[in-house]
Amino acid sequence: MSAGTVTTSRSSRRALARQVGQVRKQNKAAYLLLAPSIIAMVVLLGYPLYRLVDISFQEYTLRELFARTTVYNGIDDYRKLFANGSTFPTIALRTVIVVVAMVIGTMVIGTLVALMLERLKPFMRSVVSIGLLTSWATPSVSATQIWKWMFDSEAGILTWVLSLVGVDLKGDHSILLSGPAILAVVVVVVIWGAIPFVTLTLYAGLTQVPKELYEAAELDGAGFWLKFRGVTLPMLRPIFLLLTTMSVIWDFRTFNQVWVFNHGGPNQSSLLLGSYSYYASFVEHDFGYGAAIAIVMVLGMFAITFYYIRQMVRGGEAS
Amino acid sequence: MTTYAGPGTASGATSASRRSAKAPARAARRRSSARAGRRSTRILLNLAAIAAFIFATFPVYWMVKTSLVPTTSILGDGSSGAPQVLPFPLTFEHYARQFQGSAGQQPLSDALYRSLFVALASVLLSMVVAFLAAIAIARFRFTGRAVYLIALMGIQMIPLEAMVIPIYTTLRDADALDSLWSLVALYLVFVIPFTIWTLRSFIAGIPVDLEEAAMIDGCTRFQAFWKVLFPLIAPGLVATSIYAFIQAWNEYIFCLTIMNTGHGTLPVWLGQFTGKEGTDWGAVMAGSTLFTIPVVILFILIQKKITTGMAAGAVKG
């Protein structure tokens, strides 16, 4: 009897040891697979990120950059963000408004176009797909140049079109002279470039939704809106979550469009947080302050998207 | 009710026949109105499709059109009449200027070579690195998995423009400035958080049983990954490599700061044409066209692979 318990406990201990060994072995294999990505990210992002944090606590201007000296100034750079007369709060608020407009515009139009794609005949569907691929493939630097050219105050085609409905963007009314006007066009450029990815991903998701669900909903007398809310939305929830979160992150970082348009001008009025950090560093040569802006921005974005990212990580866990 | 009557509907019938066959006529009318409704929906759908197509492609058309007309017609005569929609009079002067190049300017062919090298090398490397990491996440339970996943997302929130200075000084200290390989390594790191995340869901969508069967047949675990999993997620690899390619093809600021003058990739090369005294729109649009059209053609050629890849990836979200 007692011998029996000993053997069982010994075998169970051996089983446990084997399990632990397996966990350790799994760990080792996993870390081996992850090693290249971790090394690359630590060297080229982790270390520079550490330096960025370090710089944000320094007095770091051109002088320090070239002399390679280090002068710590505590949280002065951060204090400057909220000091009297600082443009940071204005730009942060502006960024939030612009990002909300971009994300809502992208998701709503992207969803509508995806629903449309699903109902089109194959020929029209490939016509629209080719159109989408064309705008998707257009580099953001080119795209911004094109839109800027279409809104040119002398000979822009959209300037002409708008003049027909009484909107004057010529001469003194050039959009380049107004921050809000530039940002309105930047929103359009970003949405124009972001719709293809969102649409094609959603369309791919739509093709995976079982047709029986729609048929069942139709038998229950559901119309377009009810079918969308009752079937499409819940089925595509993970995709919507991913796309919205990624859009928020990508749109917060909008840089090329703002910079190519007018370098954040006139008078900083078209700067968004992403370009403000660059502006502080490379126009005002205050790298410490630029770093502080970037860090506050990352923390803010992390706070906004944390809940959704946790859900996405959990979703990945369940699968 | 049915003002529009398609062929074979009852609205053209005489009143007599209508009276004699009231019920069937009403049914037919109802059918016809449903059909007309369906037809008008289809017309509306097609109109919306055409609108979407124009919205997506018009700017690109306008770029090509602008690059093909002389500077004088680009700017118009100042009387601000309707802009010309067709490229007439046609000229290739802007392209000729691009291909000839001018003294002190980086030749187009050099920038093209640099762009292709950096884009292809970073795509290939990132696929290998991301594939390995995605296997680890999708197939292994290990300590620190959640931390790794959250880090992947967190990294994508860093505004890379803010990282220009620390990355520049890091590369300067490593004596790695003005090197195409530095760019390759940077672009690799910029894209892998997203490609790992995406490939993970592709792999998660493939049953483990397939690899286990291969292992029972005598494959090692890594052979099973390579021989079974790799071909199965090929569509996913295509979709994600497109993303990586576009990132590398478009990147501007890091190339500008890290490479010396005259050693840039196409976006930086394109930047030389924006002069101080007003923009030379013909040159900018010709350069943009040369820079954009290869990618558009590539996209359209592998269109099917992109969409099937996305469909597969969308299963798991």
Side-chain angles (χ1 to χ4, degrees):
Chain A
M1 177 86 179
S2 71
T5 18
V6 169
T7 48
T8 45
S9 74
R10 192 180 293 158
S11 72
S12 73
R13 211 182 302 146
R14 210 176 294 146
L16 190 71
R18 215 181 301 129
Q19 264 177 351
V20 170
Q22 210 156 26
V23 166
R24 205 173 291 147
K25 217 169 131 200
Q26 275 227 325
N27 267 347
K28 221 173 123 189
Y31 294 150
L32 210 63
L33 290 166
L34 291 175
S37 63
I38 292 179
I39 291 171
M41 289 192 282
V42 166
V43 171
L44 283 166
L45 282 177
Y47 178 65
L49 189 62
Y50 155 75
R51 272 183 117 138
L52 183 72
V53 175
D54 198 39
I55 289 172
S56 77
F57 293 111
Q58 292 176 28
E59 166 89 36
Y60 202 116
T61 60
L62 277 184
R63 195 169 13 140
E64 286 80 14
L65 178 70
F66 288 120
R68 302 192 188 199
T69 53
T70 312
V71 185
Y72 285 96
N73 64 355
I75 56 165
D76 279 6
D77 290 319
Y78 291 93
R79 223 177 262 149
K80 221 164 117 185
L81 287 172
F82 300 101
N84 270 340
S86 159
T87 38
F88 175 78
T90 321
I91 293 177
L93 181 68
R94 186 190 297 158
T95 307
V96 171
I97 294 169
V98 166
V99 169
V100 167
M102 286 171 178
V103 173
I104 291 179
T106 308
M107 293 308 295
V108 169
I109 301 177
T111 307
L112 288 176
V113 179
L115 289 171
M116 179 189 83
L117 267 189
E118 204 203 4
R119 285 164 179 72
L120 287 174
K121 294 252 163 66
F123 173 74
M124 279 312 269
R125 189 185 297 150
S126 35
V127 167
V128 175
S129 302
I130 287 177
L132 290 174
L133 289 172
T134 307
S135 70
W136 191 10
T138 307
S140 61
V141 175
S142 301
T144 312
Q145 294 279 26
I146 300 168
W147 284 89
K148 193 178 161 187
W149 158 232
M150 292 198 296
F151 277 104
D152 185 75
S153 64
E154 297 290 322
I157 177 149
L158 294 179
T159 308
W160 176 76
V161 170
L162 287 174
S163 74
L164 296 181
V165 292
V167 181
D168 182 16
L169 297 175
K170 291 185 180 138
D172 290 347
H173 301 282
S174 164
I175 61 160
L176 291 183
L177 299 177
S178 152
I182 291 177
L183 287 177
V185 180
V186 164
V187 168
V188 175
V189 181
V190 168
I191 293 177
W192 182 77
I195 282 175
F197 177 72
V198 169
T199 300
L200 294 174
T201 309
L202 280 176
Y203 171 67
L206 282 175
T207 58
Q208 310 287 321
V209 178
K211 290 284 159 291
E212 299 84 59
L213 291 180
Y214 288 115
E215 282 158 18
E218 262 164 45
L219 282 182
D220 291 343
F224 170 81
W225 175 240
L226 262 179
K227 274 192 285 182
F228 180 75
R229 246 189 42 195
V231 180
T232 315
L233 215 52
M235 286 302 284
L236 297 189
R237 208 184 103 84
I239 303 181
F240 273 115
L241 198 65
L242 175 77
L243 289 174
T244 311
T245 311
M246 293 315 294
S247 296
V248 169
I249 294 175
W250 285 336
D251 293 347
F252 248 106
R253 287 179 35 190
T254 304
F255 176 83
N256 283 0
Q257 290 87 347
V258 167
W259 203 252
V260 172
F261 228 105
N262 206 11
H263 295 245
N267 210 0
Q268 301 194 10
S269 61
S270 67
L271 281 180
L272 299 178
L273 280 183
S275 37
Y276 185 42
S277 160
Y278 187 84
Y279 183 90
S281 299
F282 290 91
V283 178
E284 296 179 333
H285 300 299
D286 193 344
F287 299 106
Y289 185 52
I293 296 169
I295 292 201
V296 169
M297 187 182 152
V298 174
L299 292 178
M301 260 157 76
F302 209 75
I304 293 171
T305 51
F306 180 74
Y307 172 74
Y308 299 98
I309 289 173
R310 210 180 52 175
Q311 277 205 326
M312 275 168 19
V313 172
R314 287 225 181 113
E317 216 75 38
S319 64
Chain B
M1 184 182 168
T2 51
T3 47
Y4 172 81
T9 63
S11 44
T14 62
S15 58
S17 74
R18 204 180 288 163
R19 212 176 300 118
S20 63
K22 214 169 191 177
R26 204 180 297 136
R29 206 178 304 141
R30 209 179 304 130
R31 253 202 316 277
S32 83
S33 87
R35 205 181 302 141
R38 238 176 290 139
R39 184 174 302 198
S40 61
T41 319
R42 179 132 313 278
I43 290 170
L44 275 178
L45 261 177
N46 283 337
L47 283 178
I50 291 166
F53 178 78
I54 291 174
F55 176 65
T57 53
F58 182 77
V60 178
Y61 169 73
W62 203 243
M63 163 184 81
V64 177
K65 181 255 159 190
T66 306
S67 74
L68 288 172
V69 295
T71 308
T72 46
S73 5
I74 291 178
L75 293 179
D77 52 5
S79 64
S80 45
Q84 256 183 321
V85 177
L86 293 173
F88 183 79
L90 193 68
T91 173
F92 290 98
E93 61 175 78
H94 304 298
Y95 290 94
R97 241 189 301 154
Q98 300 287 25
F99 281 107
Q100 281 159 6
S102 53
Q105 259 183 3
Q106 182 188 8
L108 170 65
S109 57
D110 182 65
L112 182 67
Y113 159 75
R114 285 167 185 277
S115 270
L116 282 175
F117 176 85
V118 170
L120 293 179
S122 59
V123 165
L124 287 178
L125 278 175
S126 68
M127 284 306 106
V128 175
V129 172
F131 179 60
L132 295 178
I135 290 176
I137 301 171
R139 290 293 192 249
F140 293 88
R141 293 284 169 270
F142 57 90
T143 333
R145 186 169 171 275
V147 175
Y148 184 83
L149 284 174
I150 290 176
L152 282 187
M153 268 296 162
I155 285 171
Q156 296 185 64
M157 292 180 207
I158 304 171
L160 291 174
E161 296 70 33
M163 298 284 280
V164 169
I165 277 293
I167 285 179
Y168 176 85
T169 53
T170 303
L171 290 173
R172 182 185 66 181
D173 295 351
D175 217 4
L177 290 176
D178 198 28
S179 149
L180 285 182
W181 283 109
S182 297
L183 280 187
V184 170
L186 274 181
Y187 298 166
L188 166 84
V189 170
F190 294 166
V191 298
I192 51 175
F194 184 75
T195 47
I196 293 173
W197 191 275
T198 316
L199 283 179
R200 170 199 74 123
S201 57
F202 276 102
I203 295 177
I206 290 166
V208 195
D209 316 16
L210 294 175
E211 290 146 55
E212 280 169 357
M215 280 158 74
I216 289 168
D217 289 346
C219 278
T220 65
R221 186 138 199 197
F222 285 90
Q223 278 174 328
F225 289 147
W226 179 246
K227 289 186 177 161
V228 179
L229 205 52
F230 189 75
L232 280 175
I233 62 153
L237 284 171
V238 172
T240 45
S241 60
I242 291 293
Y243 168 79
F245 181 86
I246 295 295
Q247 295 296 315
W249 188 256
N250 294 351
E251 205 286 320
Y252 175 72
I253 308 170
F254 283 90
C255 180
L256 187 69
T257 39
I258 286 162
M259 305 303 286
N260 290 348
T261 313
H263 290 177
T265 53
L266 284 173
V268 174
W269 170 83
L270 192 56
Q272 354 173 68
F273 298 101
T274 321
K276 294 279 178 287
E277 63 291 332
T279 311
D280 180 356
W281 285 116
V284 172
M285 290 298 129
S288 298
T289 305
L290 290 171
F291 176 48
T292 306
I293 295 306
V295 190
V296 173
I297 292 172
L298 174 79
F299 263 53
I300 291 171
L301 283 181
I302 56 173
Q303 183 202 163
K304 253 217 145 76
K305 289 221 172 63
I306 300 177
T307 39
T308 50
M310 287 184 131
V315 183
K316 280 280 169 184

